[in-house]
Amino acid sequence: MPIQAAQLNTLEDILFKQGLLTSDQLSAIKLESINSGQSVDRILIAHNLVPIDKITQAKAQILNVSYVKVEGKAIAANILNLIPEAAARRYKIIPFDEKGEELWVAMADPLDIQIIQFIEKRSGKRVKSFLALSDDILKAISDQYSQNLTSEVTSALKEVESVKPEGEISVGPEILREAPVANIIDQLLEYAIKSRASDIHIEPQEEHTRIRYRIDGILQEKVLLPKGVHDALVSRIKILSILKIDEKRLPQDGRFTFTWKQHEVDLRISTVPTVFGEKVVLRLLPKSAGAPSLLELGLRGGSLKNLESQLLRSHGIILICGPTGSGKTTTLYSILTKISTTRVNVVTIEDPVEYQIPGVNQVQANPAFGLTFASALRSFLRQDPNIIMVGEVRDTETADLAIQAALTGHQVFSTLHTNSASGAPPRLLDMGVEPFLLASALNAVVAQRVVRKICPHCPIELIPPQEVVENIKLILGKFLPASFNVASRLFKGKGCSFCGNTGYLGRIGIFEVLIINEVTIKLILEHASSGDIEQSAVSSGMITMKQDGYLKILEGVTTLEEVLRVAQD
């Protein structure tokens, strides 16, 4: 019985055994509880001695129930709708899974017999209760119920079941044209637009289909659908994308356009076969979204000034570096938008063309027909270009042609997969590029990452540990004024309806701009390592990506966790 367990183990004793309290703290807490009459958990929270989730886990051990974290967990539509939102919010409960005739429910009070009986009567299932944080449950309720996605998809699923009662969805054209399946796709796309998602992942699992959205660069589970509807969804998307419905063994790529209210979005579709069925990823490319300015991207100060000075040159190569998803293409588009005028001929070769830039001649690569980056570059040189943009330097041939174009009086922009700006010259040398040609052609290298911005609607001040303050001072060095109070300049987002309770809203870049000067040229000719090149650039005044991120932390733009997530060495 839970009460017997409570008599054997107190909350403070469990936390002490787990090493979360010292013996001195244990004695002090027991004494304060006796003198003040306050409960131990309130004292622990008031003095911030133990994280609240650890306290809740210890309570679960005392009550002989399991602990669960439901925030961010995808909950199937049919499970969520077993309990109305008003009841879930009032009693701080949320159903999150079912096993046979058992319904798993997260509760702030898992021993409340009346609530358990209410749920069992309403759902017709036996309840297994779990202990969860009250705030965690309320955030999950806001995320799952308030987004309206689950309930709308559920209503569409009911229509699907009425079309095919046995639960199997026919994928013939006559069923696919029916409203229910199309309506599910519409709801998934509308939610993606409303939540500013860049990608939708439709993933078949063993028992269900999982829908995930990439919002501000992070994948978030949002909906679980019955496995039986998966083939119908995939076939519907294939019809819209003009793909082969009956081809399920090979990957396919397509695209279509979706319009919702004033939003028109190009969707790039990719399907791949997995062991449980075809996985589909939809990349959303808003048509109305123009390229942001370099300042809006997050470039500022000396880095922005140095890059803009290089953009004024009439020839040479500027490279944008970073891993996949770091915003390299967006930066290229921003640069092209800035320098494209009626006086210059701008040509690009891209795979794929993500955004259309007015006045720019954009070419879509098509390797199947021989139109590669290298072959397009050769053709471009006969098109009287001033500015050439190559989507990516992928091989030695493309690198050599880009350098030849730069040396013959053209301005060339491209991207390269390296972790830092100083890593670009050694990477090109490894590809077989001649050092003296690279040293002559390369003007600048920009390395970047994207971090999530603190939601402007719910910022709260943080009191950082002393070691964090010292680390910030160490990293920033001369860029931090001696009198600057670091401890009072750190913030985070509490979580609200605007940011979906994540604490983050939107993204911004962190950058480092390496200018190729005489010292760097000498290092390239000597085949110097990326470390030597970076050390030289820093001594010449380059702000590293990590330093740029830390400066944005002190401006209240982002958090330390975000910068370390993307820019940690």
Side-chain angles (χ1 to χ4, degrees):
M1 293 287 290
I3 294 176
Q4 292 174 336
Q7 290 169 347
L8 294 172
N9 287 305
T10 62
L11 179 63
E12 61 270 29
D13 287 334
I14 290 175
L15 294 172
F16 173 70
K17 288 174 186 174
Q18 292 175 349
L20 296 169
L21 290 174
T22 64
S23 56
D24 289 343
Q25 287 173 330
L26 180 67
S27 301
I29 288 165
K30 287 185 174 181
L31 183 62
E32 185 174 342
S33 179
I34 292 168
N35 291 335
S36 67
Q38 283 189 312
S39 63
V40 169
D41 56 344
R42 285 195 174 186
I43 295 170
L44 290 168
I45 293 168
H47 293 294
N48 199 24
L49 291 172
V50 180
I52 192 166
D53 59 329
K54 297 294 183 184
I55 296 172
T56 310
Q57 288 177 40
K59 283 183 179 179
Q61 188 176 330
I62 292 170
L63 298 173
N64 198 27
V65 297
S66 299
Y67 168 82
V68 68
K69 184 172 177 60
V70 287
E71 185 191 355
K73 186 186 287 287
I75 302 174
N78 58 315
I79 294 174
L80 196 65
N81 286 319
L82 291 172
I83 299 176
E85 180 182 357
R89 202 173 283 280
R90 179 179 177 185
Y91 299 115
K92 295 180 182 176
I93 56 176
I94 188 168
F96 64 91
D97 204 352
E98 61 180 351
K99 302 292 181 183
E101 291 302 310
E102 202 170 63
L103 180 65
W104 289 9
V105 183
M107 304 176 66
D109 181 3
L111 300 184
D112 192 325
I113 301 299
Q114 285 186 321
I115 300 299
I116 291 173
Q117 288 175 344
F118 161 75
I119 300 169
E120 287 182 338
K121 187 175 180 180
R122 183 173 180 86
S123 66
K125 292 179 176 289
R126 189 172 67 257
V127 167
K128 180 178 180 181
S129 59
F130 291 73
L131 179 63
L133 281 166
S134 296
D135 288 348
D136 186 27
I137 292 172
L138 292 173
K139 282 184 178 180
I141 290 170
S142 297
D143 191 38
Q144 295 291 334
Y145 286 98
S146 299
Q147 67 193 15
N148 294 324
L149 180 62
T150 301
S151 57
E152 288 163 357
V153 170
T154 302
S155 63
L157 283 172
K158 287 177 181 176
E159 292 183 54
V160 171
E161 289 167 3
S162 67
V163 172
K164 194 86 173 177
E166 60 269 30
E168 294 181 5
I169 309 298
S170 166
V171 295
E174 69 284 350
I175 293 297
L176 286 168
R177 291 195 188 98
E178 293 287 339
V181 174
N183 191 31
I184 294 174
I185 300 292
D186 288 348
Q187 299 299 343
L188 296 177
L189 292 174
E190 285 176 18
Y191 182 73
I193 294 170
K194 285 188 283 187
S195 60
R196 303 168 293 100
S198 61
D199 301 84
I200 307 172
H201 292 238
I202 301 175
E203 301 170 308
Q205 308 285 299
E206 189 172 6
E207 296 179 352
H208 52 252
T209 290
R210 177 173 66 174
I211 310 294
R212 294 195 291 174
Y213 291 83
R214 190 175 293 281
I215 301 171
D216 290 334
I218 306 295
L219 276 172
Q220 300 178 19
E221 283 187 351
K222 290 296 181 182
V223 182
L224 295 178
L225 299 176
K227 188 67 182 286
V229 81
H230 181 80
D231 286 345
L233 290 180
V234 173
S235 296
R236 175 69 183 171
I237 292 169
K238 282 183 174 181
I239 284 179
L240 293 170
S241 313
I242 318 177
L243 300 177
K244 296 176 182 176
I245 297 176
D246 55 345
E247 180 54 80
K248 299 183 179 182
R249 297 167 298 175
L250 295 173
Q252 295 188 69
D253 295 301
R255 61 194 313 157
F256 67 91
T257 300
F258 178 76
T259 303
W260 176 69
K261 294 184 178 178
Q262 305 300 319
H263 303 274
E264 191 173 8
V265 178
D266 274 334
L267 289 131
R268 206 168 71 226
I269 315 302
S270 173
T271 71
V272 293
T274 71
V275 291
F276 296 121
E278 287 183 280
K279 176 182 174 179
V280 182
V281 175
L282 300 90
R283 166 66 58 88
L284 284 80
L285 305 168
K287 281 191 172 183
S288 58
S293 68
L294 294 174
L295 195 62
E296 289 170 339
L297 287 178
L299 267 163
R300 58 190 66 182
S303 298
L304 179 59
K305 185 179 178 181
N306 287 338
L307 179 58
E308 286 181 330
S309 69
Q310 295 302 312
L311 295 180
L312 296 174
R313 300 179 67 173
S314 60
H315 59 87
I317 294 179
I318 294 178
L319 292 173
I320 314 295
C321 298
T324 302
S326 60
K328 300 187 296 295
T329 305
T330 302
T331 301
L332 276 180
Y333 283 169
S334 298
I335 290 172
L336 291 182
T337 302
K338 180 180 178 65
I339 64 178
S340 175
T341 68
T342 55
R343 297 184 178 186
V344 292
N345 177 24
V346 184
V347 288
T348 76
I349 174 69
E350 305 170 57
D351 186 19
V353 175
E354 294 194 3
Y355 297 102
Q356 294 171 357
I357 309 171
V360 174
N361 305 287
Q362 295 172 268
V363 178
Q364 166 75 53
N366 194 339
F369 291 92
L371 183 56
T372 62
F373 286 162
S375 65
L377 258 175
R378 286 195 188 89
S379 301
F380 286 173
L381 294 175
R382 297 190 290 274
Q383 288 280 318
D384 185 31
N386 299 100
I387 298 164
I388 298 171
M389 192 268 268
V390 184
E392 183 185 342
V393 176
R394 293 178 176 173
D395 50 44
T396 305
E397 186 180 12
T398 306
D400 286 336
L401 286 166
I403 285 173
Q404 290 300 328
L407 292 173
T408 53
H410 303 91
Q411 202 172 17
V412 180
F413 298 92
S414 190
T415 68
L416 191 66
H417 284 280
T418 61
N419 290 328
S420 64
S422 58
R427 173 67 57 84
L428 291 168
L429 294 175
D430 288 343
M431 285 184 177
V433 175
E434 291 293 343
F436 67 94
L437 294 177
L438 179 61
S440 301
L442 193 60
N443 288 345
V445 183
V446 179
Q448 67 180 76
R449 302 288 191 278
V450 285
V451 295
R452 292 182 291 172
K453 292 162 64 177
I454 295 170
C455 175
H457 303 284
C458 59
I460 56 172
E461 192 172 334
L462 281 177
I463 301 175
Q466 187 58 34
E467 56 265 27
V468 170
V469 174
E470 294 303 321
N471 176 253
I472 291 174
K473 289 180 178 178
L474 177 67
I475 295 295
L476 288 179
K478 63 182 180 181
F479 297 111
L480 187 69
S483 60
F484 194 87
N485 184 9
V486 172
S488 65
R489 298 302 297 268
L490 300 190
F491 298 86
K492 72 170 186 177
K494 184 179 181 181
C496 63
S497 59
F498 289 97
C499 60
N501 291 304
T502 62
Y504 297 100
L505 189 65
R507 291 190 289 174
I508 195 168
I510 57 174
F511 299 86
E512 62 185 26
V513 179
L514 170 66
I515 301 300
I516 307 300
N517 55 26
E518 290 181 4
V519 178
T520 316
I521 288 173
K522 185 180 177 184
L523 290 170
I524 291 172
L525 293 173
E526 294 172 352
H527 284 259
S529 68
S530 61
D532 291 337
I533 294 172
E534 180 170 306
Q535 188 176 354
S536 167
V538 169
S539 64
S540 299
M542 182 183 83
I543 298 175
T544 66
M545 257 189 305
K546 200 169 186 180
Q547 288 173 331
D548 188 33
Y550 276 35
L551 288 170
K552 287 182 170 75
I553 290 169
L554 298 182
E555 291 171 19
V557 174
T558 188
T559 63
L560 181 63
E561 290 80 10
E562 275 298 290
V563 174
L564 294 180
R565 178 176 67 85
V566 300
Q568 184 67 289
D569 297 332

